[in-house]
Every structure is written in structure tokens, then in C-alpha cells.
Amino acid sequence: MAVSPELEGLRCIAPSRFVSFSFPSPLLRDASNPYGDGGAGEFLRVAVLDSPLPAPPVPRTAAMLVPAGRHTDWIFSTRAGHLHLLLSSQFSRLILVGPELSVPSPRVISCVSRPDSDPAHARLLPLLLALCPIAAFRDNVIPDVPLLSFQDDLLRLAHVKVVAGPVVGEMVVEDVAVDCAPGPAELRRRLRFKRMPCLVQTQVRLACQSPAAAASLLDALEEGSGSLLQPQAGGSLVQPYLQAMVAGLAVIAPSIDESFQSGVRPRCLCAGVGGGSLPMSIRVGLQFNVVGIEADNAVLDVARDYFGLVEDEFLSVHVGDAIQMIQDLARQGKPDAKFSAVMVDLDSSDSMCGVSAPPLEVTHESILLAARTILHRHGVLILNVIPPPSGGSFYKSLIDVLHQVFSELYEIDVGNGENFVLIAAVSPIETTLTGNSGSFLTELRKLAGDFLEHIRKI
């Protein structure tokens, strides 16, 4: 049988190589088919990705069955999503098996756990072994190819809108039912970019406009009652890393209290707006004067239309390069336009490096000096940091350069295995961070919760 050059090349590991093809389904009309009778058609889509990291002498291969109904989700249908799954698995090659992308997905997808996949694994094993590199068969030992399972906290998922922007590309707005055990499930709206599909850019809670339907919120997605669901903008923050970013303001709580007592609203610059949950919460919950900068006007339109972003005299958003705007403001040097806080929530646009934040240019000393210039003497720079999977030195280097530019540095470990928040202070901090005195800290706790107790000096 003739084999295509692409498939022939799979005999060895080639960093970052991606191959996808159709294959007659071994699961067709079989009780082990996780997609049901005829649910995936006569063919399966098989996608193979090799890790960008150096392979060991005996490379390991794993496979994953795409969850039923989610085969068109960018997590499973794009190279960027596939890469994130691979880097999270610690294998040298990951094989995704699922329905072809032409197979339609249901409007509302149930994300409940599926039955035992062992029978399907047995039917697929000859194919999976054929896709293992030759080096995996060292000493004539047949390698183990485990079938990994994908797990998240979703119970149901419904697409609301797909939009394309000139800078970020395609993005999707979706309503989801989230398992918040041991508490009750919640309905949320979230925003994801195709270039980084595993990263939720924005997530807000949804409230039901009809009190009569409030008892059956989980059924709202099934019934197509999207018009009854409205985002709770400006309220409590859903994403823990955003809570931690807001908690960073505790470092300068006495200065912020002084500003309010003198009748001056503290100013905050948000580099990166997304769906707008962070600037809205700072403006509404903390009564700051907020300026937001977003690279793509289409993202701002989505934030206004689907996430409740409202501009007023105390919240303005602008389209542009946030890093360039920080540099421009530093050059202008207006003393009456300084900020109490600059919050940087920008992810790297290079999806082939996996999920990471902030972009590398933010870590340049010249950029950090510009950020310090636009802060007043009691100001802080607050960074959301996701160290890249393959860059162990990135985080240490960032801490080193921040120490060179700023007087003091604090850290919050968000505790999710990904995010850290760094708080860089222009001036030495002379008071305790988590004392209960001051009205600002009282309001801050409503948004930041327990993260105030996790601030540590580094």
C-alpha cells in the first residue's frame, strides 16, 4: 500500500510537525463508539502533533478522543489548541481522534463525562501504534499509547457569536454552564481567541432577566433563551487571576485612601481590555477613573455588545498598541496625568510558544522604565504572568529586571498552576499590606477576596 510522504515522515519525531488526515472509522457501528451510531460518519479525523521540545531517546506517544460534540471547538480543531494539549501532557507526540470537521455540532453541547473509553481504545490501538515513531519500539518492546481524557469545568456550552478582528483574528463568544461544586452551577459568558483557544480571555456571570425563569437557569441554554441572559458587568470578578491583579492594589491602599479623602479619584491604566470585566470592576467596584487600551476595535465592539462594557466620564477605552501608548505617555511627561496603577493583562500573540503572558517586549527595561514614568510616586505596575511552558528562565529574568527598575516587588501565586501576579512599587512600602483599616481595603476585599492574604514580598 502506498503511503503519503507526510505519513511516512511520522516514523521519526520532528519538532512542531503537524499532520492531519481522514481515516476509516474503526468505531463505526461499534458499541464502543463514543460518538454514537453514525455520529461521526464513516471517517474519523486524525491529527498528529510532535512536541517543539527535544525528544528523549525513547519518545512517548499519547492519544486523546475528542469529546463528543466538541470536534469543531478550536481547542481540538486547530494546531494552537492541539499544542496546548500536547504541552500539558508531557508526551513527545499527541494524536487527536474525533469526527471530521465537516460533521455538524449541536447548538448546545453537553459536556458531561463519557463512559469508559477502554473498549474504544482497543479498537483504535492498531492505528495508534502505527503512528508511533520507530524509536518508541526500542528492544522490540511494543510501546504503551495511553488514551488521555480531556476535562474542564463545563457542563454545557452554547456558541453565541463568532467575530473576526483585524488584529486578534477570529474570536468566539459562548455561554457556558460551569460546575462550581460544591456550590451550585453557574451560567457564564466567555470570550476566546482562535489564536489561543485554550485561554479564556474574559468570563462574566450571567443573570436571568425573568424572575420566573431564575429557578431553571441551567435550562436557559437548552431552550435558546439567550435574550433572557444578561452579563453582570462591574460586579465580582469570576477569573481568579483578575481577582489577584486587583488584590495588588492593597500594596498602595493608604495612598488610595488619601486620594479619595482629598476628593481625587485614583487613575488606573488597563493595558488589554478584552471583554472589559477588569476595567468595569475597577471603575464600578472601586470608583477609579479607568483608561483602557485594546489593540482591536472588534474586541471592544464585542465587549460592549456581549459583556456589558459601558463607557462614561470615568471609564474610557482606546484602540491602539498598549505598549506603544505607555511609551508615548511617558514621553509626554504630563505630571497631572499620572496613574496610581498600570495593569498589564496582555498575552503573547505567538501561539506556537503555547499560552504565555505578557509579550516578551513588556519585559524590556525600556518599557518598564516608561511604565514607571507614568506612575505617580506611590504607584504600582501590576502584571499578569503566565510563564511559557518551554521558558523556565523567563519568570526569573522578569523578576530580575523589575527589581532593577522598581523599588519593591511583590508576588501573588494564583494557585492554578499557570498564573502569577507581580506587583512592582515605585516607592518603598512603609505600611502593612493587609490591615483592616481604611475604607478602600474594605471595598477591595469584595473584589479580591482571600488574595489579599497571599501577597508576599520577593
Side-chain angles (χ1 to χ4, degrees):
M1 178 184 293
V3 179
S4 73
E6 279 189 327
L7 296 183
E8 184 72 25
L10 294 176
R11 292 176 178 270
C12 62
I13 295 289
S16 300
R17 176 177 49 202
F18 177 77
V19 177
S20 66
F21 57 93
S22 296
F23 190 82
S25 175
L27 306 175
L28 193 63
R29 290 180 289 277
D30 190 274
S32 66
N33 190 347
Y35 309 112
D37 291 338
E42 296 185 1
F43 289 84
L44 293 173
R45 174 182 181 265
V46 181
V48 183
L49 179 64
D50 289 345
S51 174
L53 306 179
V58 183
R60 299 180 63 208
T61 298
M64 180 182 292
L65 280 174
V66 175
R70 298 183 68 176
H71 55 283
T72 58
D73 190 313
W74 294 330
I75 294 175
F76 308 101
S77 64
T78 67
R79 182 174 177 174
H82 197 151
L83 176 64
H84 179 83
L85 297 173
L86 172 59
L87 293 176
S88 301
S89 71
Q90 305 299 312
F91 287 83
S92 295
R93 174 174 289 174
L94 179 63
I95 304 166
L96 291 185
V97 180
E100 293 191 287
L101 301 185
S102 59
V103 175
S105 295
R107 191 192 70 80
V108 178
I109 300 168
S110 175
C111 305
V112 297
S113 298
R114 293 295 170 183
D116 184 5
S117 59
D118 283 349
H121 188 199
R123 301 281 294 183
L124 291 169
L125 190 56
L127 169 65
L128 302 181
L129 289 173
L131 294 174
C132 287
I134 290 179
F137 294 86
R138 175 175 285 191
D139 299 326
N140 293 320
V141 174
I142 297 177
D144 177 37
V145 186
L147 197 60
L148 308 180
S149 60
F150 177 81
Q151 294 182 340
D152 56 17
D153 57 1
L154 300 189
L155 299 173
R156 296 173 192 169
L157 182 152
H159 288 285
V160 176
K161 185 75 172 180
V162 175
V163 180
V167 178
V168 305
E170 286 185 271
M171 65 195 95
V172 61
V173 179
E174 50 198 7
D175 289 347
V176 296
V178 179
D179 182 2
C180 299
E186 290 184 355
L187 281 190
R188 299 177 184 173
R189 178 164 293 163
R190 63 185 198 173
L191 174 67
R192 292 187 295 138
F193 296 163
K194 185 176 183 178
R195 72 182 189 193
M196 205 75 72
C198 297
L199 181 65
V200 177
Q201 301 287 335
T202 298
Q203 191 169 192
V204 298
R205 291 184 178 88
L206 290 172
C208 192
Q209 294 296 95
S210 170
S216 56
L217 277 179
L218 285 181
D219 295 330
L221 296 184
E222 299 285 357
E223 296 169 1
S225 305
S227 60
L228 296 176
L229 301 173
Q230 296 298 323
Q232 294 180 302
S236 59
L237 292 162
V238 173
Q239 293 165 283
Y241 87 91
L242 292 182
Q243 298 173 18
M245 290 187 74
V246 170
L249 294 171
V251 170
I252 54 169
S255 171
I256 293 175
D257 269 324
E258 288 180 10
S259 293
F260 282 122
Q261 290 166 10
S262 64
V264 178
R265 282 179 178 250
R267 302 181 74 232
C268 178
L269 177 67
C270 290
V273 174
S277 58
L278 180 62
M280 281 291 290
S281 290
I282 296 172
R283 184 261 177 265
V284 176
L286 300 179
Q287 300 299 304
F288 273 48
N289 190 332
V290 181
V291 178
I293 308 170
E294 174 57 53
D296 198 321
N297 191 55
V299 175
L300 293 180
D301 287 340
V302 166
R304 298 181 186 105
D305 295 342
Y306 295 98
F307 291 89
L309 176 66
V310 177
E311 298 154 85
D312 59 20
E313 60 179 315
F314 301 118
L315 172 57
S316 61
V317 292
H318 308 272
V319 178
D321 184 319
I323 299 172
Q324 184 62 52
M325 193 166 293
I326 288 173
Q327 292 177 299
D328 292 344
L329 290 171
R331 279 191 290 266
Q332 294 170 11
K334 297 179 180 179
D336 59 343
K338 290 185 178 286
F339 295 90
S340 295
V342 173
M343 295 193 174
V344 179
D345 185 16
L346 301 170
D347 61 78
S348 170
S349 59
D350 185 2
S351 61
M352 290 301 101
C353 294
V355 175
S356 64
L360 187 60
E361 54 264 39
V362 173
T363 68
H364 295 166
E365 185 174 351
S366 61
I367 305 300
L368 297 175
L369 284 168
R372 176 176 175 140
T373 299
I374 65 175
L375 289 164
H376 69 54
R377 62 189 182 93
H378 293 301
V380 286
L381 171 67
I382 301 176
L383 295 165
N384 171 42
V385 183
I386 306 176
S390 58
S393 64
F394 172 86
Y395 193 56
K396 182 181 182 301
S397 299
L398 175 56
I399 288 175
D400 289 344
V401 71
L402 285 169
H403 271 304
Q404 294 171 18
V405 175
F406 289 86
S407 294
E408 292 185 358
L409 187 61
Y410 298 82
E411 178 194 65
I412 302 175
D413 183 347
V414 178
N416 59 2
E418 286 191 342
N419 299 78
F420 295 86
V421 170
L422 294 176
I423 306 114
V426 172
S427 303
I429 304 301
E430 300 175 355
T431 59
T432 179
L433 300 182
T434 57
N436 291 318
S437 59
S439 58
F440 174 71
L441 276 179
T442 301
E443 296 304 314
L444 186 61
R445 286 186 185 279
K446 297 176 184 178
L447 292 181
D450 293 339
F451 281 113
L452 268 69
E453 319 301 333
H454 293 85
I455 303 172
R456 71 180 191 97
K457 188 174 181 180
I458 59 174

